[in-house]
Amino acid sequence: MQKKSIMSRGFWCMIVGGMLTGMGNGSVFGAALMCFLGRGDFNNWGGWNGQAYDPHTFTGFIDWCMLVFGFAYIGILAIAFQRHDAIENAA
C-alpha cells in the first residue's frame, strides 16, 4: 500500500488552520491599522449585507484584510507541507 503525501493527508487541516490563523491575524492587523489611522475617509461603516465586504467601507477593509491574510496563510502552509513531504520522502 502506497503512503499518501502530507499535502493530501493534511488538506483540510491546511485550509481550516490557514484560514483561522490568517483571518485572526488579519483582523488584528485591520483593527490596529484603523486605530492608528482613525476612520479617515471611511464615511460609511459598511456593516450591512454586501457593504461588509466592500473595501471602501470601514468594516469592509478589515474583512478584506482578514481574507487576504487567510489565503496567504493557506499558501504558507501549502509550501511548508510540500517541503516537509520532500524531506520526509528523501530519508
Side-chain angles (χ1 to χ4, degrees):
M1 186 164 92
Q2 180 126 1
K3 186 170 97 172
K4 292 183 178 180
S5 69
I6 292 174
M7 284 289 287
S8 64
R9 288 184 289 159
F11 178 76
W12 288 110
C13 291
M14 179 179 64
I15 299 294
V16 172
M19 281 307 271
L20 285 175
T21 304
M23 289 182 80
N25 289 337
S27 68
V28 172
F29 172 79
L33 189 63
M34 288 298 149
C35 287
F36 178 69
L37 296 176
R39 281 192 62 175
D41 293 333
F42 295 107
N43 296 326
N44 187 358
W45 75 282
W48 301 105
N49 301 325
Q51 286 184 339
Y53 297 99
D54 180 10
H56 297 101
T57 63
F58 186 71
T59 304
F61 178 76
I62 295 173
D63 289 345
W64 271 101
C65 286
M66 290 169 59
L67 291 172
V68 167
F69 273 64
F71 288 120
Y73 271 73
I74 288 174
I76 291 168
L77 280 175
I79 292 169
F81 280 16
Q82 286 176 347
R83 290 185 179 179
H84 182 75
D85 195 35
I87 291 170
E88 189 175 293
N89 289 332

